[in-house]
Amino acid sequence: MLGGSVYIALIRFAISLAGVILLFHLLGESRFGRRKTIVCYSCFCVALIALACIWYAVDWESCVRMVAFTMYMCFTVFTIAISRDSVYITVYKLALIFYLMSAFVIGGLEISIIFFNRNVWADIISRIVLILVIAFLLDKFVRESMKGFGDYMENEADHFSVAVMIICILLGIGYILNPTLNKEVTLQRLYQVLVNLILTGTLQLLVFRFYLHVGKEKEYEREKQLIQMNYRLLERQLEILEESVDEGKRLRHDIRHHNAVMAEYARRGQQEELLQYLQEYDRETDQGIPERICANTAVNNILSAYTAKARSERIKVTLDVEPGRDLTIPSIDLVAILANVYENAIYACMEVMKQPDGRECFIHLILRKRKSKLVISCSNTCRMETEWKDGQPATEFTGGVGVSSIIRTAEKYAGECDFKNNSGVFVVRVIMNAK
């Protein structure tokens, strides 16, 4: 601190707190609406700045030493209370904001000390300029990447490692903000501050890039699973198409015989026999028409393909499907869930068939729309025991088809998933917002 009256301290406190709020707003989201968030921030800022000014007037020396840490700790508690992110993600973002705060606070002090002979207004103006520059860089280069980073870090991060990383960052920042370093301008002091800023910033960057890379690798893995699932779906469709083509060839081959029989009935005047023969011919022809499960083309195709596959494996299939053509969920996402659920059910039944207990294998699939919700439920025969990993069926249990794809697609539409094993009957339930 460079000293000055309480009014100068008030301006410094207000600028620093406004800078921290601006930077955090670029990275995080409030759980409240815009108006309520503004009211909460305003009340918090007024109360905190008033207390800081009183502290500054009563005990200047202790205020200089501890005011930055105290105000930031209060801001941390307040932000965790109103942030939409989890506590770990919020604390990580706050550590980044704390680092940026130390950069513009120390930067403003150093500019004032080195170039303007400790002028307090130079410190204030420098802080404002640095805050605007940092906010611009965050908005341009970091903000978009940070949107998906929270999910990556929440799902992939080792919480102990994240805690150690945050502690290291806070220790480095604490050294940078040590007021005893600002008493004398020396090259050694400038070197120490600069090195700590660089090292702490590099640690932040490495952690950010690492978890971003891990998260993208997981995304690529899920996309690979989706491609494999689409490949299997195409195989099922080709099998049905080949069966239809073979059936068409057989019918065309036999049509000459049918025409000859009908012509003979006509020549003899045997009308009753001719009508009976035509009815039998119609029934035989209808058997070659693919089963129509529902009016929605995408759902009908995916269910037809996997139903044919299941029945070819001697699995009893029961379908209770209602949705029409007016589903708001894109076909590619709906197909991703249905194909994964159905494929896993077929795999589980095939695993049971290898066992000597002789249980009957079945699949019961329900797909219904209730008001603004789309409900998918699948019950199928499975092994008596399920291997679980992170609350999800293990890969060995599902045949390698991604359960995580089902979960992420459901979450995309504010949905939920539930998996359980009821003594050898595996149940999957998915509920999604279909507004």
Side-chain angles (χ1 to χ4, degrees):
M1 295 287 286
L2 301 176
S5 65
V6 175
Y7 299 106
I8 296 296
L10 185 148
I11 295 173
R12 280 205 191 102
F13 295 150
I15 291 173
S16 298
L17 192 56
V20 170
I21 293 174
L22 172 63
L23 299 181
F24 186 80
H25 176 71
L26 293 174
L27 301 181
E29 294 184 17
S30 171
R31 68 177 64 185
F32 305 124
R34 185 175 181 180
R35 180 178 297 178
K36 188 173 181 180
T37 301
I38 293 175
V39 172
C40 291
Y41 271 121
S42 300
C43 296
F44 171 77
C45 291
V46 170
L48 189 62
I49 292 173
L51 293 174
C53 289
I54 294 173
W55 187 8
Y56 183 87
V58 173
D59 191 351
W60 179 86
E61 186 175 352
S62 65
C63 180
V64 169
R65 285 199 307 269
M66 299 298 298
V67 69
F69 289 101
T70 304
M71 291 182 68
Y72 191 77
M73 290 302 104
C74 295
F75 180 77
T76 299
V77 175
F78 172 77
T79 305
I80 291 175
I82 70 167
S83 178
R84 180 180 296 179
D85 297 320
S86 65
V87 175
Y88 257 94
I89 302 301
T90 303
V91 171
Y92 174 82
K93 292 179 179 180
L94 286 169
L96 174 59
I97 299 302
F98 200 8
Y99 168 75
L100 297 176
M101 183 194 76
S102 67
F104 68 72
V105 168
I106 295 300
L109 288 173
E110 295 299 327
I111 291 173
S112 174
I113 292 172
I114 297 174
F115 299 105
F116 297 97
N117 194 26
R118 296 180 177 269
N119 186 283
V120 293
W121 294 108
D123 174 30
I124 293 172
I125 295 173
S126 299
R127 291 190 188 191
I128 295 174
V129 172
L130 289 174
I131 290 171
L132 294 177
V133 170
I134 293 172
F136 172 78
L137 295 176
L138 279 181
D139 185 61
K140 188 173 181 62
F141 298 107
V142 179
R143 190 176 187 180
E144 288 298 322
S145 300
M146 188 65 74
K147 287 182 179 179
F149 173 77
D151 293 335
Y152 299 153
M153 187 173 177
E154 184 70 20
N155 296 327
E156 312 300 338
D158 173 12
H159 287 177
F160 176 78
S161 300
V162 176
V164 172
M165 179 271 299
I166 293 174
I167 291 172
C168 292
I169 292 174
L170 295 179
L171 289 176
I173 297 170
Y175 177 82
I176 294 170
L177 291 177
N178 188 350
T180 59
L181 296 176
N182 298 324
K183 292 182 178 180
E184 185 179 355
V185 178
T186 64
L187 291 177
Q188 182 182 3
R189 179 179 64 84
L190 293 176
Y191 174 76
Q192 289 175 338
V193 172
L194 184 61
V195 168
N196 273 274
L197 278 171
I198 293 174
L199 291 178
T200 308
T202 303
L203 177 60
Q204 282 271 10
L205 180 62
L206 289 177
V207 171
F208 177 77
R209 297 297 298 178
F210 172 74
Y211 285 117
L212 196 62
H213 174 74
V214 171
K216 288 183 177 179
E217 286 293 325
K218 293 293 183 180
E219 289 288 341
Y220 296 150
E221 182 65 26
R222 281 187 283 268
E223 290 177 3
K224 177 184 175 183
Q225 291 177 349
L226 182 59
I227 293 173
Q228 292 174 344
M229 180 270 296
N230 288 332
Y231 175 76
R232 288 191 291 271
L233 175 59
L234 288 175
E235 284 184 332
R236 305 290 178 264
Q237 294 281 30
L238 287 174
E239 291 173 3
I240 294 175
L241 181 60
E242 289 174 356
E243 293 175 0
S244 299
V245 170
D246 292 340
E247 184 66 17
K249 289 180 179 178
R250 186 185 66 80
L251 291 175
R252 287 193 299 271
H253 181 268
D254 293 341
I255 197 168
R256 295 193 306 272
H257 305 289
H258 296 305
N259 289 338
V261 172
M262 289 186 291
E264 186 65 25
Y265 279 130
R267 279 195 299 269
R268 295 183 179 184
Q270 297 174 329
Q271 295 181 0
E272 293 294 332
E273 290 81 356
L274 176 59
L275 289 175
Q276 183 179 356
Y277 182 82
L278 288 174
Q279 290 174 356
E280 293 176 357
Y281 180 73
D282 287 341
R283 285 196 296 268
E284 183 179 353
T285 304
D286 290 339
Q287 290 177 359
I289 299 176
E291 179 183 3
R292 184 171 180 81
I293 299 173
C294 70
N296 186 282
T297 304
V299 174
N300 186 78
N301 290 341
I302 185 70
L303 295 182
S304 297
Y306 279 99
T307 299
K309 172 65 176 177
R311 287 172 177 167
S312 69
E313 299 290 343
R314 303 185 306 278
I315 302 172
K316 182 180 178 180
V317 178
T318 304
L319 299 176
D320 184 2
V321 181
E322 292 183 356
R325 300 175 182 272
D326 59 342
L327 288 178
T328 56
I329 298 175
S331 297
I332 188 171
D333 292 329
L334 193 57
V335 165
I337 293 179
L338 289 173
N340 274 311
V341 169
Y342 217 151
E343 184 92 10
N344 290 340
I346 294 174
Y347 175 83
C349 290
M350 293 173 65
E351 287 294 306
V352 172
M353 290 180 180
K354 298 177 183 178
Q355 299 177 356
D357 53 5
R359 284 191 294 154
E360 180 185 12
C361 292
F362 70 89
I363 297 175
H364 184 196
L365 181 65
I366 299 174
L367 180 60
R368 295 177 181 175
K369 186 177 180 182
R370 291 290 180 265
K371 295 183 179 179
S372 62
K373 301 294 183 180
L374 183 67
V375 180
I376 301 173
S377 176
C378 182
S379 304
N380 59 269
T381 312
C382 68
R383 299 196 299 261
M384 290 297 178
E385 295 183 357
T386 304
E387 298 178 10
W388 299 92
K389 182 179 180 181
D390 298 330
Q392 304 175 14
T395 303
E396 294 78 8
F397 185 83
T398 61
V401 181
V403 175
S404 60
S405 297
I406 300 175
I407 297 174
R408 287 187 65 84
T409 305
E411 290 176 347
K412 183 178 178 181
Y413 299 98
E416 297 180 354
C417 301
D418 179 47
F419 307 91
K420 63 180 179 180
N421 187 342
N422 290 334
S423 301
V425 177
F426 194 79
V427 181
V428 181
R429 289 177 295 187
V430 182
I431 301 176
M432 294 185 291
N433 190 348
K435 287 185 180 180

